[in-house]
Amino acid sequence: ALTRILRPFITVMKEAPIIPRRKIGFQAHVGKEFSGAFLIIMLILLTFTLVLPGPNLIYPRVFDHAYSPVTIAAGSMPLKPGGTVTDWLYTLTWMRNNESVKVVAAWWDYGYWITIIGNKTTLADNGTLNMTQIEYIAWMFLSTEDNATSILKQFESPIQGPVTHVAIFITFYFDPNKQQRETDVGWGEESKWRWMARISERLTGRSDAAYGNSTLGTDWYDSDGDGQRASDGSEDVSNNLGQSTVIYKMMQYIKYDVNSQLGDYTQMSETSINQFEQHFTLVYTSYRDSQTAYSYYYGVVGIFEVKY
């Protein structure tokens, strides 16, 4: 891009002076002074962008960019950990080595990883152009268990077979030193469910606001059932419709699995749990293998087996 932008100005700088024989019909073009000034401005901008250190940095920004990990090595979280975040890598390894996993339904973000590293078929990936396919996946996540399995059943084919598992990803913050209850961060499905709602609105007839009066995907949990957010923003305002969805219950199941060590706060009733377990079973969470926080941030992948 820089080459394309700068090439005409460099060409002007290299031109020999042209003395026109006639002034009639002569059209002036960008002069060397303007070209030189433009090149100096670009040099200054590049210096600020790449050479000078940014806030709270010692080294030039270009070094800081070079040391930023690829997305999967950061666990699909926008942070720069001291080491590799292994949650997705452990999950994909488990997936690849587990023969019972055939076809995986997941949000399109993780499709390439599941296909290439997990070596499993997935319903959508970063290159899926079939918008209807993504709409149905979003609809599945925002449906009840019965409707979700019916939607997944439609993806069965003679070659690939039925969808055998569903994968989701959640992120939360927990500081044991402060004994603070886990709070959703918004880098996983606890925030992406809003896009699922917006994308599937044509099929469901519901906007994202219909599932809860939240502003950041954290509003899935209401500790005292009063439907109000606390002053510190720790409580959620999801409604009965939001709490009836498969994505909500899957996130609660993963939290329950994680909180077996950190403290349980699942809000699902026994009736809801029994209904859910008739259709989906939690068979793996990356927290069982990783259990590692990065500046008190956790990213956990959960795999559910589908029961038809």
Side-chain angles (χ1 to χ4, degrees), residues 273-285:
I273 290 175
N274 292 335
Q275 180 183 358
F276 181 81
E277 290 181 343
Q278 292 176 10
H279 300 84
F280 299 95
T281 302
L282 180 63
V283 293
Y284 178 84
T285 64

Side-chain angles (χ1 to χ4, degrees), residues 159-170:
I159 299 176
Q160 297 177 344
V163 176
T164 57
H165 292 77
V166 177
I168 72 166
F169 174 67
I170 67 171

Side-chain angles (χ1 to χ4, degrees), residues 13 23 43-45 47 57 70 75 79 85 103 110 116 124 141 150 154 161 179 199-200 225 255-256 261:
M13 295 294 292
K23 293 185 178 180
L43 178 62
I44 294 174
L45 291 175
T47 300
L57 296 177
V70 295
L79 49 77
V85 180
V103 181
Y110 325 118
I116 298 172
F141 276 122
S150 298
Q154 297 179 34
Q179 295 299 313
I199 289 174
S200 63
K255 291 174 183 178
Y256 180 84
Q261 299 184 42

Side-chain angles (χ1 to χ4, degrees), residues 94-102 120 165:
W94 178 89
M95 194 180 295
R96 184 176 64 247
N97 296 332
N98 196 316
E99 295 183 358
S100 65
V101 181
K102 304 296 183 183
K120 302 297 180 180
H165 292 77

Side-chain angles (χ1 to χ4, degrees), residues 48-156:
F48 277 105
T49 304
L50 299 175
V51 179
L52 298 181
N56 303 321
L57 296 177
I58 301 175
Y59 303 104
R61 297 183 192 226
V62 65
F63 294 157
D64 185 60
H65 297 331
Y67 279 100
S68 297
V70 295
T71 306
I72 194 170
S76 190
M77 297 187 290
L79 49 77
K80 190 180 299 181
T84 302
V85 180
T86 55
D87 289 85
W88 268 108
L89 297 174
Y90 279 143
T91 300
L92 295 169
T93 300
W94 178 89
M95 194 180 295
R96 184 176 64 247
N97 296 332
N98 196 316
E99 295 183 358
S100 65
V101 181
K102 304 296 183 183
V103 181
V104 180
W107 197 231
W108 61 266
D109 299 42
Y110 325 118
Y112 280 160
W113 297 347
I114 295 172
T115 302
I116 298 172
I117 303 177
N119 196 29
K120 302 297 180 180
T121 302
T122 186
L123 298 184
D125 55 37
N126 312 61
T128 299
L129 299 179
N130 185 349
M131 193 61 187
T132 302
Q133 180 105 336
I134 297 178
E135 281 182 329
Y136 270 77
I137 296 172
W139 184 20
M140 180 273 297
F141 276 122
L142 292 172
S143 298
T144 60
E145 295 89 338
D146 290 330
N147 194 37
T149 50
S150 298
I151 295 172
L152 291 173
K153 187 71 174 177
Q154 297 179 34
F155 289 106
E156 182 175 356

